[in-house]
Amino acid sequence: MSSILHTLRESDPALLPLLAQLWGVRIEGLDTPSIIDAVSKAMTDRARAESIWDALNDRERGALQMLITGGAKMHEPKFAMLYGKIRRLSAKEIARDKPVQNPQSPAEALFYRGLIALGYETDATGPKTIIYVPDDLIQALPTRKTSYDNLEDEAFEEVEQDDDIPEDPLAELEALPKEAITNAHPADTSLIDDMTTLLAYVQIHTPTLERDFFRKKDLDGITANLLNPDRARLVFMLGIGISGGLIEVQNGRAQPNRTELRHWLGGTRAEQIKHLANAWKTGTVWIDLFHVPGLHPEPEAGTLNQYNPAAVRETILDMMSNTLPQSDWWSTASFIEIVREESADFQRPNGDFNSWYIRNDNGDYLSGIDSWDEVEGELLDFLITHPLHWLGMLDLADGAARLTAYGRGLLTMTPFPMPPETPEAITVGQDGTITVSRKASRMDRFQVCRFSTWGAPADLSGKPYTYK
């Protein structure tokens, strides 16, 4: 990760006198570079490192052992949840509070002894603060020594190593038994049909958008013809329609992108759902966090205007790919708990839980790691029960979910399914009524929509669309 020398050069100079004292280094008359060199040499001395190690209590030693065996680094919020926060103290505060003698947490005890350090690394969501142990310090520490080494010999029962324990901390969730599943709601691809309806309406009316959404007249006209008239779902459709290049907004009016529209309408249902799923996955128009019920973000304040929803989704989908069983039902609460334990700062640049302004329904600001369940937890639940279900990627039940074949394809567990299609024919009655099945070509229905009066919408039970 980094050497002791580099770590000391990057650390707050206020730490140097304390570390010199702890590690037995005389610094009188030395300048800062010389102090750093002297302390660095002392910290690689095995005898001195063992003395510092022996001064730790079991909780502190266990935290250090866990960090080293886990790759010698961890995101700071996760480490803080396990072992407490680290106060950033000035030289005067160090002299006053004596954090070595009176640490407020195991993490603080390790930090002010120089055994762990703060650093930074960048992932898809931006820079993040990490806790790490310098590489050469690991070599000096007696990590194989335990608190039992000085005890008299005692007969211990030998425990066999369980070879089935996975090395990956994001282990596959345990499958739920089928008898535990209630109120199952299978996913469907009705989003394709409703997107076709939306595109036809936009083609005919080029509606004006107010505050990035439809006016009431247009809203009523669109929702009356959808299989699912949920307003939140329509907002989602508009967002991914724009992200997917199907809809353009010019001078405040929505209109179709004819080139991309024709290509999408001519595809199979599987190709169309894959296009929309990728538009959601990589898009930045529709921001999931801003649509979670009960959350009221203020993007104009703090650093929330730098939020990258595509990077957040990529992180979440990667965790799902490493965690979810391919075919079985799993507990949504258990998945959220795994994310909380293993990657609490998945959407927070630099692991900062204090620079966003988000209110709840009561008007209270949700800040700090203590608000994780109300912000990150609710976001994860929303993604599972709304976008991923709307897109046909997850079946839902009470407190449970299951990947569909499309969902496994999105997570790259299996190839994205591309079954062939044989579109059903459109029928025209003697009275001029046009009947269009959901299994008809979306291109054909789109053309019918353009040159007819709209009648009744279809439904999921097999009732067709009717036009005149």
Side-chain angles (χ1 to χ4, degrees):
M1 178 66 200
S2 183
S3 67
I4 296 173
L5 186 61
H6 177 79
T7 297
L8 293 175
R9 287 171 177 170
E10 297 295 319
S11 296
D12 186 343
L15 285 173
L16 289 177
L18 176 61
L19 294 178
Q21 179 183 1
L22 287 171
W23 290 83
V25 178
R26 298 177 61 87
I27 61 174
E28 293 81 2
L30 299 180
D31 58 12
T32 298
S34 298
I35 294 174
I36 290 174
D37 287 341
V39 173
S40 174
K41 291 177 182 177
M43 292 178 70
T44 57
D45 181 82
R46 291 180 181 272
R48 299 191 197 198
E50 183 171 359
S51 176
I52 297 292
W53 174 273
D54 288 342
L56 301 176
N57 63 34
D58 286 345
R59 175 77 168 149
E60 295 159 356
R61 193 179 297 110
L64 188 57
Q65 282 273 30
M66 182 279 301
L67 187 61
I68 292 172
T69 57
K73 68 175 182 177
M74 182 181 291
H75 287 167
E76 185 188 16
K78 178 183 174 182
F79 195 78
M81 283 194 298
L82 295 172
Y83 301 108
K85 295 181 179 180
I86 299 171
R87 293 174 295 167
R88 274 66 158 179
L89 301 178
S90 66
K92 289 184 178 180
E93 290 169 331
I94 290 174
R96 181 194 67 202
D97 295 348
K98 301 185 183 304
V100 173
Q101 292 81 5
N102 304 299
Q104 292 193 354
S105 68
E108 194 167 279
L110 297 175
F111 178 76
Y112 283 102
R113 284 182 168 89
L115 298 174
I116 61 175
L118 295 165
Y120 300 91
E121 67 178 13
T122 301
D123 62 13
T125 60
K128 294 189 175 183
T129 305
I130 61 169
I131 300 292
Y132 71 93
V133 184
D135 295 334
D136 42 357
L137 179 59
I138 296 173
Q139 301 302 317
L141 288 169
T143 54
R144 294 183 179 275
K145 184 177 181 179
T146 73
S147 58
Y148 303 109
D149 285 347
N150 295 324
L151 298 180
E152 294 182 5
D153 289 342
E154 186 175 350
F156 288 95
E157 182 179 355
E158 193 160 331
V159 180
E160 291 186 8
Q161 177 71 28
D162 186 354
D163 295 332
D164 293 328
I165 297 177
E167 296 180 0
D168 190 339
L170 286 177
E172 184 174 289
L173 279 174
E174 183 177 350
L176 294 176
K178 292 182 179 180
E179 56 270 20
I181 304 305
T182 57
N183 296 323
H185 301 285
D188 57 52
T189 56
S190 60
L191 196 73
I192 298 299
D193 308 288
D194 284 344
M195 181 63 81
T196 303
T197 301
L198 173 61
L199 292 171
Y201 188 95
V202 168
Q203 170 73 27
I204 297 166
H205 299 281
T206 58
T208 299
L209 301 182
E210 292 180 351
R211 297 183 179 180
D212 300 323
F213 196 54
F214 302 106
R215 297 178 298 182
K216 186 179 186 308
K217 176 184 176 182
D218 293 312
L219 178 62
D220 292 343
I222 296 169
T223 55
N225 292 279
L226 298 178
L227 278 73
N228 183 345
D230 181 15
R231 178 190 173 106
R233 185 170 173 268
L234 179 57
V235 176
F236 176 73
M237 289 167 54
L238 177 62
I240 64 171
I242 295 172
S243 293
L246 301 175
I247 299 173
E248 297 176 330
V249 180
Q250 296 185 4
N251 300 319
R253 299 180 73 92
Q255 61 187 40
N257 177 334
R258 295 186 179 182
T259 301
E260 193 63 43
L261 173 72
R262 184 175 296 276
H263 177 75
W264 184 80
L265 288 171
T268 64
R269 186 169 288 267
E271 290 168 340
Q272 290 167 335
I273 203 67
K274 183 179 182 181
H275 181 98
L276 297 184
N278 285 334
W280 167 74
K281 179 180 176 181
T282 61
T284 57
V285 175
W286 196 84
I287 301 175
D288 312 85
L289 181 65
F290 292 6
H291 297 276
V292 177
L295 297 185
H296 307 279
E298 299 177 3
E300 69 282 355
T303 61
L304 198 51
N305 60 350
Q306 302 171 18
Y307 189 80
N308 185 344
V312 173
R313 294 184 202 113
E314 182 179 357
T315 299
I316 294 170
L317 293 176
D318 282 345
M319 289 189 288
M320 286 184 160
S321 180
N322 292 325
T323 306
L324 304 184
Q326 288 199 18
S327 304
D328 297 310
W329 291 94
W330 43 272
S331 165
T332 56
S334 295
F335 172 71
I336 293 171
E337 182 61 25
I338 284 178
V339 176
R340 192 183 197 284
E341 291 178 358
E342 301 296 336
S343 190
D345 60 344
F346 67 88
Q347 68 168 348
R348 302 278 183 160
N350 200 24
D352 183 358
F353 284 83
N354 298 300
S355 63
W356 292 355
Y357 291 84
I358 302 175
R359 294 180 186 266
N360 60 18
D361 284 337
N362 295 325
D364 302 321
Y365 281 109
L366 304 173
S367 181
I369 190 68
D370 292 340
S371 295
W372 194 94
D373 290 331
E374 295 174 272
V375 179
E376 277 74 13
E378 290 297 320
L379 170 63
L380 291 168
D381 184 76
F382 176 74
L383 290 175
I384 291 168
T385 58
H386 290 79
L388 287 168
H389 181 63
W390 287 335
L391 287 163
M393 304 294 145
L394 288 176
D395 297 327
L396 298 179
D398 290 343
R402 178 178 62 182
L403 288 167
T404 65
Y406 289 136
R408 292 190 289 274
L410 180 68
L411 299 183
T412 66
M413 291 178 170
T414 60
F416 202 93
M418 288 292 172
E421 257 185 9
T422 304
E424 290 187 359
I426 293 173
T427 61
V428 182
Q430 291 183 351
D431 62 350
T433 298
I434 306 172
T435 302
V436 187
S437 164
R438 286 183 62 220
K439 296 181 181 180
S441 159
R442 269 69 63 193
M443 176 70 81
D444 290 348
R445 184 165 76 84
F446 178 84
Q447 299 295 358
V448 169
C449 289
R450 293 179 61 195
F451 302 109
S452 66
T453 300
W454 294 15
D459 63 25
L460 297 178
S461 67
K463 174 187 170 184
Y465 295 92
T466 58
Y467 302 92
K468 197 76 170 179

